[in-house]
Amino acid sequence: MRTDRRTFVKRLALASAAGAAASLMPGVSFGEEVARAIEGLSQPVWRKTPCRFCGVGCGLLVAIENGRAVAVRGDPDSPVNGGLACVKGYHSVQMLYGRDRITRAMVRRNGRLVEVPMDEALDLVAQRMRETIERYGKDAVAMYGSGQWTIPAGYVASKFFKGGIGTNNLEANARLCMSSAVSGFMTSFGLDEPMGCYEDIDHADVFVLWGANMAEMHPVLFSRILEQRERRRAVTIVDLATRTTRTSYAADRSLIFTPQSDLAIANAICHEIVKRGWVNREFVDRYVAFKRGKTGIGYGLEDDFRFTEEAVDATWDEYVRFLEDYTPERVERISGVPAREIRWLASLYGDPSRKVMSLWCMGVNQHTRGTWMNNLIYNIHLLTGKIASPGNSPFSLTGQPSACGTVREVGTLTNRLPKGEVTNEEDRRLAAEIWGVPVERIDPRPTHHTVSMFRALDRGEIRFLWIQVTNPMVTMPNLNRYRSAAQKEGRFIVVSEVYPTPTTDIADVVLPSALWIEQEGMFGNSERRTQHFEQMVRPPGDAMSDAWQMIEVARRMGLGELFPWRREEHVAEIWKEYIRFHDTPEHRMAPYEELKARRGVMWPYVDGRETKWRYNTKYDPAADPARGEFDFYGHPDHRAWIWLRPYEAPPEWPDEEYPFWLSTGRVLEHWHTGSLTRRIPTLHRAVPRAYVEINRQDAEELGIRNGEMVRIISRRGSMAAEARIDYRAQPPRGQVFVPFFDESMLVNELTLDAYCPISGQPDYKKCAVRIERMGMTLGGGPAR
Amino acid sequence: MPVCSYLVIPERGATEACAERLSALPGCEVVRAENRDVLLLVTETAGPAEERALRDALASIPGIRSLVLTFGELDTETAGRPPWP
């Protein structure tokens, strides 16, 4: 007999009351009827899945009853979270059932989106793609996806666009969150993704958090760190940040620095390590090379901006001379962090008896010198030899559930292929062979990274854009320009989504997508762990997985031979094809059957064993023991590279007209733009709208009271928000913070579209604004 | 449509009367224990306002020694696109 959700909830309620009675009055009996009702609760089937939200990749168990997801718990067998979940994870299944779920395809007619049959919408998408290519060329069509794509969806996108159409106009929103991490890994080690894993947390003595509010953004991992401090008295947590957050309060020491000065602080730490003789000479001599790159590299603000990095050999002596500029006293003047604190921090890294883990995420990556900051953190670990061994770990956290698995490993970026770069002939040949296409079809020229892609849309070089699993009309920096671009005459925008968003608002076609466990898929988390999830419930209405939408359109365009799979088996078939790209000891991945059976598998997976610490010859089967304890095989010289990266100022700085720094980010309760978490009532009610955090003294000087509305104005736009003083985080004087989850308060209309020239990743953490009182409260009443 | 449950412990000798009074309230289902003087109460109301009104009504019923809230789900329907302020 079918049990609906109401009945299930009432059974739960009855069971709770009966359980309370039994605990107070052992032996109490309520008869057969109650016993049967409670017994019925054990009927749901619990199935494993990685969480849909952040890049930690917590294992969850979802209860399915009569075709509906009815409950969630942390998976006690998951090596990631050991049964814990955060507030988003615990409430996650509710996001499947929001009442405004998009269930039918829609096409814009006379300015309005009207429902049409799915086949008709897919026909139209294929027709418009074909017409655009015929009229404007293959590089006039583009796909913009996400680190929330499943691995199969990302793989289909890459094969469709790069192997089928032959354009490199394929990007993903991970460009906005992780590309500096990628270019940091590539420049320092020659290969992407961390050498360590979460197990490092169980071994490290010191945790240095570089601009990462882990207490809110990666709460389950942060709780794992806090647990270590409970267990081991020697554990020290340092929060190095631009504002005081919940992470700062939990840390042993909080160091607040001026935005952008993290570059100088990292170099000052290295200066101290060298000066105090804390360099691990044996490690450096044997495993490290020194490189100098270009400086004064700009900020990408111009449409025709181009940049190519060059690595020039440098020497140890040149590096030491370079560091002379970064005395703690000089860096104190740049950063505001006292010289004694910088020395103390250096001593933590320099102490050979203490294992150190550095962790970072958007503070380092969303930075006009994001690649440099990644390099500089690696420099510290390489100088001290504290890397690639249990507890000694520079660890780049990710923001999205499959930024690593899909975007970075499958390579859904303009310059990437499932293995390697489009510019590399050998990589193109491998892709052509596996895809069964002529190698000439794979274009050797990268086209546009994300910001550049939207600028090309603005200029009319791109005419057709298909957006899946992301909400760029909330997240693009300098948003006004790119929203106007998408709405220009002659642009055709397709959006695959699950709920209405500001991005579906500008769409010509909306395709209803399956969400998370409504399809089979895989995600890859921050520690190189690939996790499979099966389809547990049916998607509503005509909703279809993003991967299958693309396959349907590709078939309509005559590219069906690339996608010969039956729908019931396409995920397994895609996985089997995809892992041929990584069939080497550096990146071998688990077979499909093992992925299905296990709680995720970390790659490289060789001879049935996961690799926890890459480049370490004791653990990594790809590392050559003849080279010693370590083998940094990503570079041809088998060395890791220390880069001479200077401090350079940001492109925009507070001045008399715009006297405040503006930083943006997330909050614990909301995922990215809130399109999912704002459909979950508990989370929506917890933080129903965005706000602006203002320092108390700044607020007093401006006459602003807590809760009154203020206008925040940059050179690009303005928005109104409630002022929050001494709320969950406190910016220092001269800074304000606004979260970006609220589509009614678009802070990215204010942000600057400057980016790291090496990675193409924009800086969402620094631009200049001014604050004006509005003299009213949110409801429109006068501010007192 | 909030759903809640309560463990109800009546005053001595008032179990039957309590059960009848509770059962008479709209949206209330009562289960009597077979071997103790204790009741289980499951309530279902149309919305938060009705839920608050029912709680007030429960508090005024005579003969109840203890009323323990054991379950409360207020969010059985999810919101739509959040309203712009």
Side-chain angles (χ1 to χ4, degrees), chain A residues 2 172 174 246 258 320 337 417-418 455 461-462 471 521 566 586 593 638 712:
Chain A
R2 191 182 188 287
R246 287 176 173 177
T258 304
V320 173
V337 177
L417 286 166
R455 288 177 182 171
E461 294 160 21
I462 290 175
N471 193 4
R566 294 195 310 134
E586 295 86 14
E593 292 72 20
H638 288 254
I712 314 152

Side-chain angles (χ1 to χ4, degrees), chain A residues 5-6 13 29 98 100 743, chain B residues 3 5 34 44 73 78 81:
Chain A
R5 179 172 164 75
R6 306 290 316 141
S29 167
D100 59 343
E743 67 173 54
Chain B
V3 172
S5 70
E34 293 177 330
E44 183 176 14
E73 175 164 311
T78 58
R81 195 171 189 177

Side-chain angles (χ1 to χ4, degrees), chain A residues 5-6 9-10 12-14 16-18 20-21 24-32 34 94 97-100 500-502 504-505 678-682 684-685 689 743-745 778, chain B residues 1-9 27 29 31-45 65 68 70-85:
Chain A
R5 179 172 164 75
R6 306 290 316 141
V9 171
K10 288 176 82 171
L12 270 182
L14 186 62
S16 298
L24 285 174
M25 306 169 188
V28 65
S29 167
F30 293 95
E32 281 297 307
V34 172
Q94 288 187 46
Y97 304 115
R99 64 175 168 235
D100 59 343
T501 67
T504 61
D505 287 347
R678 296 186 91 204
R679 266 81 184 182
I680 299 173
T682 307
H684 177 47
R685 274 204 306 270
R689 57 190 167 269
E743 67 173 54
S744 68
M745 298 183 182
L778 183 67
Chain B
M1 297 285 280
V3 172
C4 296
S5 70
Y6 301 85
L7 176 62
V8 184
I9 303 176
E29 295 172 25
V31 178
R32 296 169 211 193
E34 293 177 330
N35 53 353
R36 297 279 202 285
D37 287 328
V38 61
L39 305 171
L40 308 181
L41 171 65
V42 178
T43 68
E44 183 176 14
T45 47
R65 181 152 64 94
V68 183
T70 53
F71 181 92
E73 175 164 311
L74 307 179
D75 299 323
T76 54
E77 293 281 332
T78 58
R81 195 171 189 177
W84 292 45

Side-chain angles (χ1 to χ4, degrees), chain A residues 71 143 213 215 389 415 735 761:
Chain A
M143 166 66 80
N213 180 11
S389 55
N415 54 308
Q735 289 188 39
Q761 180 165 348

